[in-house]
Amino acid sequence: MAPSARGARGRGASTRGRGGHVSRSRGGRNGQASSRTPSGPKSAFYSTRVEELPEDVSENDQVSTLEESDQDVELYGSSEDNEENTVSITTKPYTTLLQSLAANAPSNEPARKKRKLSPKRGLGEPRAITSPAIAAAALQDDLDLDHVEEPPEDDEQSAEDLDDADATDDIISPHDNFEVHFRAVNEKVLASCIADCGDSKWKAQRTVLQSGWKVSTSSYHNSPDNFGLRSGKGPTATPDFQLKQKLEAKAIATIPDNGGLNELLGVPIFSYQDVLFCDRTPAIAEHIRALSCLHALNHVLKTRDHVIKNNARLSKSGIPDDTEYRDQGFTRPKALILLPTRQACVKAVDTIVSFYDPEQQENRKRFQDSYSQTADEFSDDKPADFRELFGGNDDDMFRLGIKFTRKTIKYFSQFYNSDIIIASPLGLRMAIGTDDTKKKDHDFLSSIEIVVVDQAEALLMQNWEHVEYIFEHLNLQPKETHGCDFSRVHNWYLDGHARYLRQTVFFTAFNTPELNRIYGHYMLNIAGKVKISKSEYNGAMLDMSIQVKQTFSRYESPELPADPDARFKYFTTAVVPILTKASRTLSGKGQGTLIFIPSYMDFVRVRNFLATSSSTQNISFGSISEYTPVRDVARARSHFFSGRHSVLLYTGRAHHFRRYILRGVRKIVMYALPDNPIFYQDFVEGFLMKGIADGSTDPSQASVRSIFSKWDFLKLERVVGTRRCTAMLKEKGGDTFDFL
C-alpha cells in the first residue's frame, strides 16, 4: 500500500470485567473500585443520548450514568527511549547505618496477625464492593488467604543442609557470572559506574541480527567486561549457563534451543544484565518462563550454598578474628517475580518445582486450592493472548513466599523467611502497606537481587502505579535489623548501592513509554542493559482478510504535556462535525460509528462533551467502559446494533478484559491507536467483517479513521509498519494518509 497525502484537516485504572468479579487493582488509586448510581435530582449529564422513543417504551430501558471519573492519569510517553537519566546518588556510611538500625530495633516482636478463617467464596462468584471501607476489608480477606502464621527463623544453616551434589559440584570458577557480579565486586569500578550513572554517561550500541531482531545495548563507560557469557560467543545450550549440577540435567531436557532464544535471551539473563524483551508471544511463553525461573532458582541456590559453606567455616576453631565472609544482604528474599494472575503464578511455581524436584512440598494442597483453577472454555473467537492471560484463576491480587531447604519447598512462608517472592503488583502493594511510615513495611525488598516481570503488557492494563511504587521501594535501607548479622553483609549493601547490582528482566508483547521509563530510571545495573525488539514491523493493517479504507490523520502536538488537549481539540473540530452531519442525514437509521478510546480519562472527557455540548444534541450515543455493569453493556450493545444509538464509545480496558464482538459497526474512529496491535485487527477484521458477512454493512461504506501525533510513534509503527510510520511522521505535504 502506498499512502496518499492531501491537505490538512481539521489517551488509567480499570476494573475487572470478567466473571462478575469486581477488580481491586483496576478501580482507581490503590486498586479500589468505586461506582455510584445517580439518585435524587437529575444528573448534570447522561452517559448516553438515545433517539426519541414511543411513549409506550418503559422508562427503565433508558441508559443512565454508571461510570465515575477515574483518578489515575495515563502517562503519555514519547517515541524516544529516554534511556539515560540523571539519578541522584546518596551514600550512607556504615556507622550511621548501624546506629540508625540499633535505634529503631524493637525490644519485642510485634504480635502477629492470626489468619482469618471464613467460608470460602467461589472463584467465579462476584463480590459486591459498595464503599472504600468494605473494599479495604475485602482486600484484606484476600490477603489473608496468602497469610501464614509463622515465627521468624534463625537463618543459621550448617553444611549438613547441603546434599551430596551440592557438596561436590560447586567449586565456583572465578569467571562464574554469579561470582563476578555479586561476590568479586571491584569497589573502584562500582564507584566509577555510579558516577557515570549520575552523569548519564552510557555507551549505546544497536545491532540488527540476521534473525530479524534489533538488540540495543547500554553500558557504563567503566562497566566490567569480564563476564564469561559476554565474550561475543554466547551459549546455545543450557550447560553453558553455569548452572548447579542438580539443575543441569533437567534444564537440558526442559529447555532445548528454540530458534536461538537461548542465545538471544539466555546470554544476557544468565550474565546478570538487565533485559527488556519486547516481543513476547504465547508461542514462546513457556520457554521464556523456563529461562527466567531457572535463572532465579539457580541464583537462590548458589546464594544459599555460599552462606551454608561459610557458616561451616566460621564454626571451625582457629579462624582469625578478622576473617570476613560477606555473603549476604539485609534480609533473606533474593528474587521477586511479578505476574498478572494467580494462574500465571501456578505456572511459574510448577516450572520451579520441575527444576528443583523436591522430596516434599509443604502447603502444596493449600496452594493448589487457592491458586489453581480449571481453565475456562472460551469461544473460538477469543485470541491466543486472551486465552493465556485469563484461562484458569485470573484473580489479580496475591502474594506468595517460597522457601527452599535441602529437600523441601515451603509455600506461604513469611516474607522474611522466603527465598523467592511471587506476587501481583496489587498484592505486593497491599503487603507493603499504606503511606503511613509507621505502618509501611518494605524491608523484605531491601535485598532483592533479581526482579522478573512477565506479561508486562497485562500489568499495564491493571494499575501501573503499583509497579512503579514497588520499584521505588526496592533496595532501600531497612528500618529494622530483622536479626541481620552485619559482619556478613556485602559492603555495597551497607553503602546503599544494591540497586546498581540488581538485575531487572521484563518480558512484554510490545514496548510502551511506561516500559521505556522503567528501562531508563530503574535499570541501572553495572553489567549493562539490553533491549530486544523486532528490527522492523510490517504493520497490523496488512494482516487483514478484507479490504477497507483506512485513514490516518495527524495533528500537531509540539509538547508532550499538552498532547491530550491537542488531541481533544482536533477530535471536536475535525471529527465531531462529521458525526453531527451524519446523524442528521441518517436520522433514525443509525450510522453505526464506533469510537475507540484507549484511556479512561479521555473517555470521560469525550463522553461529557457529547452529553453536554449543544453541537452534539442530534447525536445519540451509548458507552461501554471497564466500569459498565454487564446489564448495561448488553443494553448498549443492543441499542447500537438496532440503530437507537448511532455512536458507541468503547474503552481499551473494556476490550482487553472482555473482547466483545460488537455488531452493527459500519465505521470506526480511533481517538488514539491501541498499544496492542491485536486490538486494531479485532476492530477492523472482526467488527467490520461481521457486518459485511451478514450483509448489514456495505463494503464500500466501511471505513476506519485513526488520529495520531508524533508522540504515538510506537503505536503507529506496530499498526502501519516501520517504514510507513517514519514517512507519515515526516511528511510535509499533508497530514492525512489513506490506505486501501
Side-chain angles (χ1 to χ4, degrees):
M1 299 181 187
S4 62
R6 63 175 185 263
R9 291 193 295 175
R11 168 171 155 134
S14 61
T15 60
R16 290 267 294 281
R18 302 191 72 260
H21 288 77
V22 178
S23 172
R24 280 79 64 188
S25 71
R26 308 181 184 105
R29 192 168 300 276
N30 295 338
Q32 296 181 4
S34 64
S35 63
R36 297 184 306 199
T37 56
S39 60
K42 188 176 180 180
S43 301
F45 63 87
Y46 298 96
S47 64
T48 61
R49 182 179 288 119
V50 190
E51 296 284 356
E52 292 296 331
L53 301 175
E55 295 181 358
D56 59 346
V57 176
S58 172
E59 185 178 359
N60 292 331
D61 289 338
Q62 300 299 321
V63 183
S64 60
T65 302
L66 291 171
E67 300 93 343
E68 288 299 318
S69 175
D70 189 38
Q71 299 300 318
D72 290 333
V73 180
E74 180 174 346
L75 173 65
Y76 293 86
S78 68
S79 60
E80 302 297 330
D81 289 351
N82 296 324
E83 297 170 2
E84 295 79 28
N85 296 278
T86 302
V87 180
S88 60
I89 310 300
T90 302
T91 303
K92 294 185 178 180
Y94 180 33
T95 55
T96 304
L97 174 65
L98 290 178
Q99 292 172 358
S100 65
L101 289 171
N104 295 330
S107 57
N108 298 313
E109 288 292 332
R112 301 188 179 278
K113 184 194 306 181
K114 293 184 178 181
R115 181 185 172 201
K116 297 179 181 179
L117 297 177
S118 58
K120 286 189 176 181
R121 172 177 56 90
L123 292 174
E125 297 177 10
R127 167 183 286 156
I129 297 181
T130 58
S131 70
I134 298 178
L139 287 170
Q140 189 60 52
D141 288 343
D142 280 348
L143 287 177
D144 286 337
L145 294 175
D146 296 334
H147 175 74
V148 167
E149 186 174 354
E150 178 187 41
E153 298 179 357
D154 185 359
D155 205 26
E156 291 291 329
Q157 302 177 74
S158 67
E160 295 178 356
D161 291 330
L162 289 171
D163 55 28
D164 295 336
D166 292 336
T168 59
D169 77 336
D170 297 317
I171 303 175
I172 297 182
S173 165
H175 301 294
D176 183 276
N177 291 327
F178 173 83
E179 181 77 15
V180 172
H181 191 73
F182 291 104
R183 293 177 51 79
V185 178
N186 187 311
E187 294 188 5
K188 292 184 178 180
V189 173
L190 176 59
S192 179
C193 290
I194 294 174
D196 286 348
C197 179
D199 296 334
S200 297
K201 294 181 179 179
W202 294 86
K203 294 184 297 184
Q205 181 180 359
R206 294 187 179 184
T207 304
V208 177
L209 305 180
Q210 293 183 351
S211 55
W213 299 101
K214 180 176 67 175
V215 180
S216 302
T217 60
S218 298
S219 61
Y220 298 115
H221 287 276
N222 296 293
S223 61
D225 194 25
N226 55 347
F227 281 44
L229 298 184
R230 299 181 196 163
S231 61
K233 299 179 180 179
T236 57
T238 50
D240 296 327
F241 287 163
Q242 302 169 346
L243 302 173
K244 289 176 58 63
Q245 282 188 6
K246 68 177 299 180
L247 301 179
E248 279 191 6
K250 294 185 179 300
I252 293 173
T254 306
I255 315 179
D257 187 53
N258 180 12
L261 274 183
N262 286 346
E263 183 171 357
L264 180 70
L265 289 176
V267 171
I269 289 176
F270 285 87
S271 296
Y272 287 97
Q273 293 176 294
D274 291 341
V275 178
L276 174 57
F277 182 67
C278 303
D279 195 31
R280 182 194 186 279
T281 64
I284 61 175
E286 185 176 351
H287 196 139
I288 288 175
R289 186 182 306 113
L291 284 174
S292 57
C293 290
L294 175 63
H295 177 55
L297 178 61
N298 187 57
H299 176 79
V300 166
L301 295 183
K302 284 186 176 182
T303 301
R304 171 177 168 270
D305 289 354
H306 272 289
V307 173
I308 293 175
K309 289 179 180 179
N310 288 337
N311 288 345
R313 295 187 181 101
L314 289 172
S315 66
K316 296 179 180 179
S317 59
I319 299 296
D321 294 338
D322 59 348
T323 301
E324 287 188 339
Y325 292 102
R326 297 197 175 272
D327 52 10
Q328 300 179 18
F330 297 114
T331 55
R332 179 165 179 166
K334 290 294 176 288
L336 171 65
I337 302 177
L338 294 179
L339 299 171
T341 66
R342 287 184 180 244
Q343 200 65 41
C345 178
V346 172
K347 295 177 182 178
V349 168
D350 288 345
T351 301
I352 292 173
V353 170
S354 68
F355 288 128
Y356 193 63
D357 194 18
E359 294 184 4
Q360 183 179 356
Q361 300 182 53
E362 294 188 25
N363 298 323
R364 177 69 191 194
K365 184 179 185 302
R366 178 185 168 194
F367 172 74
Q368 286 294 127
D369 291 344
S370 56
Y371 277 72
S372 184
Q373 182 179 338
T374 304
D376 299 325
E377 294 183 1
F378 297 114
S379 58
D380 295 337
D381 54 16
K382 294 294 188 287
D385 67 315
F386 183 87
R387 296 169 180 271
E388 181 196 10
L389 178 59
F390 294 112
N393 190 343
D394 62 354
D395 186 5
D396 64 350
M397 195 195 65
F398 63 92
R399 79 280 194 281
L400 176 71
I402 301 179
K403 175 184 176 181
F404 297 89
T405 61
R406 187 174 64 143
K407 298 180 180 179
T408 304
I409 290 181
K410 183 175 183 177
Y411 306 104
F412 303 102
S413 59
Q414 189 187 75
F415 278 176
Y416 290 99
N417 297 335
S418 302
D419 296 296
I420 297 178
I421 297 174
I422 305 179
S424 66
L426 174 61
L428 196 60
R429 172 69 179 85
M430 297 300 295
I432 293 174
T434 64
D435 290 334
D436 186 346
T437 56
K438 295 181 180 180
K439 298 181 180 180
K440 184 187 298 185
D441 180 18
H442 50 75
D443 289 356
F444 57 86
L445 299 176
S446 62
S447 302
I448 295 294
E449 295 173 352
I450 294 178
V451 179
V452 176
V453 182
D454 197 10
Q455 293 180 277
E457 74 281 358
L459 302 185
L460 285 165
M461 287 293 180
Q462 296 179 3
N463 193 332
W464 189 252
E465 179 183 326
H466 296 328
V467 177
E468 294 189 335
Y469 186 89
I470 291 168
F471 272 87
E472 290 171 359
H473 290 79
L474 285 173
N475 301 123
L476 299 180
Q477 299 285 21
K479 298 179 180 180
E480 300 178 8
T481 59
H482 301 286
C484 175
D485 181 358
F486 290 95
S487 66
R488 301 283 295 274
V489 177
H490 291 292
N491 288 326
W492 41 270
Y493 269 118
L494 299 173
D495 293 335
H497 296 156
R499 58 178 174 161
Y500 300 103
L501 280 298
R502 183 191 71 231
Q503 181 188 30
T504 304
V505 180
F506 268 75
F507 301 109
T508 177
F510 44 81
N511 195 11
T512 68
E514 293 87 349
L515 293 174
N516 276 334
R517 171 177 165 77
I518 294 290
Y519 188 80
H521 285 261
Y522 298 107
M523 294 188 179
L524 308 174
N525 196 336
I526 65 171
K529 53 189 176 183
V530 182
K531 182 188 296 184
I532 304 172
S533 60
K534 288 183 178 180
S535 60
E536 183 175 342
Y537 289 89
N538 294 325
M541 70 177 188
L542 296 181
D543 299 328
M544 304 289 179
S545 59
I546 60 173
Q547 289 187 349
V548 297
K549 181 181 179 181
Q550 302 177 59
T551 302
F552 296 83
S553 301
R554 187 186 68 204
Y555 64 93
E556 295 300 323
S557 178
E559 298 180 355
L560 178 60
D563 186 67
D565 293 333
R567 187 185 303 272
F568 180 73
K569 181 179 180 180
Y570 182 86
F571 175 79
T572 56
T573 57
V575 177
V576 170
I578 299 177
L579 299 178
T580 303
K581 182 179 180 180
S583 65
R584 294 170 180 170
T585 305
L586 302 175
S587 179
K589 300 180 181 179
Q591 53 182 302
T593 300
L594 175 69
I595 302 179
F596 171 73
I597 310 176
S599 165
Y600 186 79
M601 294 295 290
D602 288 333
F603 165 80
V604 172
R605 191 175 190 178
V606 172
R607 183 195 64 189
N608 293 356
F609 175 81
L610 294 180
T612 60
S613 175
S614 59
S615 64
T616 61
Q617 291 180 353
N618 294 325
I619 300 178
S620 60
F621 73 98
S623 63
I624 299 176
S625 76
E626 53 270 32
Y627 294 105
T628 309
V630 175
R631 176 183 177 183
D632 294 331
V633 169
R635 183 183 301 172
R637 294 175 67 183
S638 176
H639 287 355
F640 182 69
F641 177 64
S642 65
R644 289 178 61 187
H645 288 163
S646 60
V647 174
L648 179 64
L649 307 183
Y650 190 42
T651 65
R653 284 185 173 87
H655 188 70
H656 170 77
F657 292 114
R658 291 290 191 174
R659 304 295 173 96
Y660 291 118
I661 301 297
L662 300 177
R663 303 179 62 189
V665 178
R666 299 177 179 86
K667 299 180 183 296
I668 299 175
V669 174
M670 293 199 170
Y671 187 85
L673 289 167
D675 280 312
N676 192 342
I678 295 178
F679 288 9
Y680 189 88
Q681 294 176 320
D682 288 344
F683 299 152
V684 179
E685 192 170 37
F687 300 169
L688 289 180
M689 187 174 67
K690 288 286 186 181
I692 295 176
D694 61 22
S696 61
T697 301
D698 185 352
S700 63
Q701 299 298 320
S703 65
V704 183
R705 183 175 183 179
S706 305
I707 303 172
F708 73 96
S709 71
K710 65 181 181 180
W711 308 110
D712 297 324
F713 175 85
L714 295 175
K715 302 176 182 179
L716 186 64
E717 180 185 29
R718 292 189 285 266
V719 172
V720 304
T722 304
R723 298 182 182 180
R724 297 181 187 86
C725 176
T726 303
M728 292 166 65
L729 292 175
K730 294 181 179 180
E731 176 63 46
K732 301 296 183 181
D735 59 2
T736 302
F737 308 86
D738 293 328
F739 297 89
L740 295 175

